[in-house]
Every structure is written in C-alpha cells, then in structure tokens.
Amino acid sequence: MAAKCSFPAKPFHVSTPSSIHIRERVGWFALKAKPAHLRLSNGFKARAGLNARLNEIEIPRQWYNLIADLSVKPPPPLHPKTFEPVKPEDLSPLFPYELIKQEATNDKFIDIPPEVLDIYSLWRPTPLIRAKRLEKVLNTPARIYYKYEGVSPAGSHKPNTAVPQVFYNAQEGVKNVVTETGAGQWGSSLAFACSLFDLGCEVWQVRASYDQKPYRRLMMETWGAKVHPSPSNITEAGSKILQMDPSSPGSLGIAISEAVEIAAANSDTKYCLGSVLNHVLMHQTVIGEECLRQMEAIGETPDVIIGCTGGGSNFAGLSFPFIREKLNGKISPLIRAVEPAACPSLTKGVYAYDYGDTAGMTPLMKMHTLGHDFIPDPIHAGGLRYHGMAPLISHVYELGFMEAIAIPQTECFQGAIQFARSEGLIPAPEPTHAIAATIREALHCRETGEEKVILMAMCGHGHFDLASYENFLHGKMIDLSFEEQKVQASLAKVPQVMT
C-alpha cells in the first residue's frame, strides 16, 4: 500500500549512545534496534561530537520511489510484439500483482510489509564504515566512507529485493520462482529468500560463472535451489544458442530468456529479476535511506557518491535517496556510476528501446544498451555483465543528475588488493570498480588538498570470488579491449522503435 506522507511520523528511533537494545513495535512484531550503526576502521564506535548523541538508526519502514520526484517521467516499457505501452495484464504471467503495481506506481513511498522488515532485521541496518586505514595508505585529506552490504546472509545487497519479491509471490499463492544469475549473488539471494517462505527456486546461471564459481552454486543448492548452467538444453531459447555455439559462455540476456520461458509456460511459476526494473531499484533504497541518517548522525555530508553499475540496483539503492535530497536543494553531491570497460553500457552504449533478454521475450525498455545480443568476454572477472542499464538510471543519466566512467579490471583489482590489505575486507569483483574510482578521487584530493567526503557503495564480499583474485595475483588477469565491431553488430539488432 502506498503511503501518503513523505516519511512516517517517527521513521527512525533515536536513543542515547549505549549498548542497550531498544525494542519498538513495528506492526505485529518487535524490531530490535542495533547498536554501532557506524564504525571506524580502527574498530572504535564513532561519535557525532563531544556533546552529541549517537543516533540508533532503525531500518527504514518505507521504500522510496524516485520517479515521484522527477518532473520528466521515464519512457514506458513497450510490448515486445506490438510496441505499444505495456499493460498490467501483459506482465501478469511473470510477476505477482503487487510487484506489477510497484513497477508502475508514481507514489513517493511504499510501506515495507512487517514480514519483510522482520527478515531485514537479520542484517539491517548495515554498517557505514570510515576507511581511515585506506585514507592513511593513500595519504589523502579526503574522508572515505563505505556503506557495507556484505553482512547479509548471502553476502551482498541482493536480499534487499529478493525477500520482498518472494514474499509477494508467496502471498499470491505462487509455488515456484525462476530467475537468472551471473556471478551468483542474485541467485543465492533468491534461494535464501525462497528457503524462508518455502517456495521452489530454479536458477539459470551464466555458464562462465557456473564454471568459475562452484561455491556460489553450492550456496544456492544448500538453500534448496535447482541450478542450471545457461545456455541449457532445458529451454528452447537455450537450445537455439547451443545449436549455434555449443561452447557458448552464456550471458545474462540468454539466462533471462531461459527463465522467462519457463515462467511463461507454467501457471504456478513466476519470474524474479535481481536488477534493472523499477520495483527492484526501489527495494534497494533501504540502503540510501539508512545511509542518509547515518551521515546526518555523524555530521557529515558527502561531496562525492560512487557506486558500481551493472544492471544498477546497488547504485540506485544508495544514490536515489541522495538524489531526492539534491533535487530538494539540501545537498549537492557529485554522483558517479562506475562500470567495467568490458561491458560499458552507460559510457559506450546507445540510449534506445531494447529487449531485456537475448531472445526478445521481455518488454522493450528504453535504456543505455550494448545490444541484447552482446556477450561479454568470459575472462571478464568483475561481474556487472548485463548488456543494458536500468531504464530509470539511464533516464536519470540523460537528465544530467549523475555521471559515469568505465575502468578496466586490472585497475579495479589493484584497488581491491589495496582495500583488502588496509581495511581487511575482501570485496566482491563488482564493488572493486567503485573502490578504484574512490581511490582515483582520493588521490586527486591529495593533489589539490581538498578535504572531500567520499561515500562509496560496498555491495558485497568476495569470499566466493577468490579465483578472480588468484588470476590477478598470479599475473593472469588482462584488460580487455573494447571490441567496437562486436558492439556495432549487436546494436544493429536493436529494434527500431519510433517514439
């Protein structure tokens, strides 16, 4: 249900700086506020000031919808056959009604169901950490903070949307959900959520990742999911790809086609997506809403906000609430998306209507795209392999509210090693892009003497991605050249839609 006010009357609980756990009723359950909402990398709790009280940041009770604050609304998705705007009934074979409603809503805030909040409390609120040791290594006057989402059961930000998606499906009597996954973070998050709500879960994992990351697959299977390498012979879409290329490394576009095909053919099965769509990005805004309050509690305002982008959910989750405050004239940070040089949809793609999958089964979305046929090189280690960017992020980029850069993978892993050896956390390949961009910014501050506050999205740990680190540490990782011909061939197949 959409809320009519911008925030609930008491969205966050405030307490004195103690280790006492305060319990407050949220709906039908008691939510325990967690201490130590901000940590310094030297291990001590931070204080806002000598005489200030340390806020206990509570889990936000609403998701934020950026569309409500945009004077220019994003272009609508189109039916893949008629090219007419998609109607709710067109999406009903794939999604439960509540998610279809959230996808199209212009309401500013959506209440988070108590059952979802209850599960969120397993790991939320997540810590905001100042990277003081990294600052020292870089000898920079900048102050670097990172919002760390790797404390979730699946080790990334993805459960923020997996849990509500599975909840809404379970509410409507759905028995099974299907999905795709690239690096495995999304698939493992959905498997985790399904285990809590007793839903069947089937995952098509991009073949290159399926082979490179067996422990991600084992995570999914431990939580009860069936996992198939994609492309597979189980689906018509996968079989066609294998007929053309039996050794295909797969892509997210192919895996999406396979999962969508299964969902469309089975009445008791729905499809879940881990990024790109509006409702997914909205669920992730719990990250930014928490972070806003955490920054306020320590008296800091970010000058630069940096996040990695593949499909865009992690970046949107952190940045959208800050963009709201920027639009309201309260703050004015530079907001920077960082993508891999091997799959640079924002910096090298075109802004056009394109399919979300390879087989052309999904609605057409106006987004920055490299073409739905684009397949990243399998030696690209950094995740973030989707051919397009979330339509809403693409729209925000077109409006000029953010910028984008692309960084090659060896620089990303150099930054990851520097981060791991100073801060102690081993990042997933995805946030290494944000780390590399943060290091660039911090070194620039060293040259200029600027004491900027840099806020970075640290979306997950890399415990199941150590094969990539092995390649880097043993000198086997190389930077991939951007293949202009390959992209142009893919872009030639983008549908020509008159708008």
Side-chain angles (χ1 to χ4, degrees):
M1 179 181 295
K4 298 300 182 185
C5 59
S6 60
F7 273 98
K10 292 177 64 181
F12 300 95
H13 184 72
V14 179
S15 72
T16 54
S18 72
S19 60
I20 298 173
H21 287 193
I22 308 298
R23 299 177 73 88
E24 181 176 341
R25 289 281 166 189
V26 180
W28 53 267
F29 70 97
L31 178 65
K32 184 184 291 186
K34 295 182 181 179
H37 69 282
L38 175 125
R39 293 200 298 268
L40 298 182
S41 52
N42 60 11
F44 293 98
K45 294 178 184 178
R47 300 190 184 277
L50 290 175
N51 300 314
R53 299 198 310 170
L54 177 61
N55 287 357
E56 291 284 8
I57 302 301
E58 189 184 84
I59 303 168
R61 300 180 191 175
Q62 294 177 313
W63 295 303
Y64 168 62
N65 178 22
L66 177 63
I67 294 173
D69 284 323
L70 297 178
S71 57
V72 179
K73 304 303 181 187
L78 305 180
H79 192 283
K81 303 301 181 186
T82 66
F83 290 5
E84 294 294 323
V86 166
K87 301 180 179 67
E89 56 266 29
D90 297 327
L91 299 175
S92 59
L94 298 181
F95 303 111
Y97 174 72
E98 181 59 34
L99 292 179
I100 295 172
K101 192 167 68 171
Q102 289 182 13
E103 184 67 20
T105 187
N106 285 320
D107 291 326
K108 190 168 184 176
F109 291 94
I110 302 295
D111 290 336
I112 303 175
E115 297 89 339
V116 173
L117 282 169
D118 188 30
I119 297 173
Y120 276 178
S121 69
L122 291 173
W123 71 93
R124 306 212 68 87
T126 59
L128 175 69
I129 304 174
R130 181 172 173 187
K132 294 193 77 174
R133 288 194 174 95
L134 180 62
E135 294 170 10
K136 185 176 180 180
V137 167
L138 299 175
N139 191 27
T140 178
R143 297 189 296 283
I144 301 171
Y145 295 90
Y146 58 96
K147 180 67 165 162
Y148 183 47
E149 292 293 303
V151 294
S152 77
S156 76
H157 66 294
K158 295 290 188 178
N160 295 331
T161 185
V163 171
Q165 286 191 50
V166 173
F167 167 74
Y168 290 124
N169 275 288
Q171 262 202 329
E172 295 189 19
V174 175
K175 301 300 182 185
N176 307 289
V177 295
V178 294
T179 196
E180 77 295 325
T181 194
Q185 287 186 344
W186 168 240
S188 55
S189 298
L190 192 68
F192 156 71
C194 286
S195 73
L196 298 179
F197 289 100
D198 197 26
L199 263 66
C201 180
E202 201 163 358
V203 181
W204 274 260
Q205 185 174 10
V206 173
R207 178 91 224 190
S209 292
Y210 182 94
D211 292 337
Q212 292 168 3
K213 300 182 179 182
Y215 291 108
R216 280 285 176 195
R217 172 177 55 81
L218 286 168
M219 279 186 81
M220 294 181 246
E221 291 174 344
T222 299
W223 276 314
K226 293 180 181 178
V227 187
H228 311 288
S230 174
S232 74
N233 282 313
I234 297 172
T235 67
E236 185 178 339
S239 297
K240 286 181 178 178
I241 296 293
L242 289 173
Q243 287 171 10
M244 293 185 291
D245 181 8
S247 61
S248 170
S251 72
L252 278 171
I254 295 169
I256 291 171
S257 293
E258 295 203 82
V260 166
E261 180 181 322
I262 296 297
N266 294 275
S267 59
D268 63 351
T269 301
K270 298 290 186 185
Y271 169 68
C272 294
L273 187 62
S275 193
V276 177
L277 298 180
N278 294 344
H279 68 269
V280 179
L281 273 55
M282 184 173 64
H283 296 161
Q284 293 292 352
T285 58
V286 292
I287 302 172
E289 296 288 18
E290 280 180 8
C291 198
L292 269 170
R293 300 302 178 265
Q294 289 168 325
M295 296 295 283
E296 289 172 2
I298 58 171
E300 292 275 41
T301 302
D303 297 299
V304 184
I305 298 172
I306 298 173
C308 63
T309 49
S313 67
N314 149 72
F315 175 81
L318 178 65
S319 67
F320 280 7
F322 284 93
I323 291 176
R324 177 189 68 223
E325 301 304 298
K326 186 174 183 177
L327 291 173
N328 291 335
K330 296 180 180 179
I331 56 175
S332 58
L334 176 67
I335 299 172
R336 181 175 298 143
V338 191
E339 58 187 7
C343 195
S345 58
L346 278 171
T347 54
K348 295 288 188 179
V350 298
Y351 185 51
Y353 271 104
D354 196 9
Y355 298 107
D357 71 314
T358 299
M361 299 172 66
T362 65
L364 290 155
M365 299 176 287
K366 193 161 189 183
M367 58 184 178
H368 286 267
T369 179
L370 297 168
H372 58 275
D373 270 356
F374 180 78
I375 299 177
D377 195 302
I379 66 169
H380 166 47
L384 312 181
R385 300 169 186 267
Y386 189 56
H387 66 268
M389 183 55 59
L392 187 50
I393 289 179
S394 297
H395 182 63
V396 167
Y397 182 62
E398 288 294 309
L399 293 176
F401 297 147
M402 53 172 280
E403 65 178 38
I405 61 172
I407 298 182
Q409 62 182 357
T410 55
E411 181 182 346
C412 294
F413 274 83
Q414 286 167 357
I417 296 296
Q418 212 166 17
F419 186 90
R421 292 177 181 176
S422 57
E423 290 300 304
L425 296 173
I426 299 176
E430 291 83 355
T432 64
H433 298 77
I435 291 169
T438 295
I439 290 173
R440 284 187 183 183
E441 188 68 31
L443 292 177
H444 178 72
C445 288
R446 185 175 72 184
E447 294 174 2
T448 63
E450 296 173 279
E451 297 182 3
K452 288 183 179 179
V453 176
I454 305 171
L455 173 61
M456 180 186 76
M458 175 69 165
C459 60
H461 67 64
H463 299 171
F464 301 105
D465 305 286
L466 293 177
S468 298
Y469 281 89
E470 181 181 29
N471 287 337
F472 177 78
L473 291 169
H474 292 174
K476 297 177 183 177
M477 183 176 288
I478 62 171
D479 286 330
L480 303 169
S481 58
F482 183 72
E483 299 181 42
E484 193 70 43
Q485 278 186 318
K486 178 180 175 182
V487 172
Q488 290 307 316
S490 180
L491 289 175
K493 298 179 183 178
V494 171
Q496 300 300 307
V497 178
M498 302 298 294
T499 58

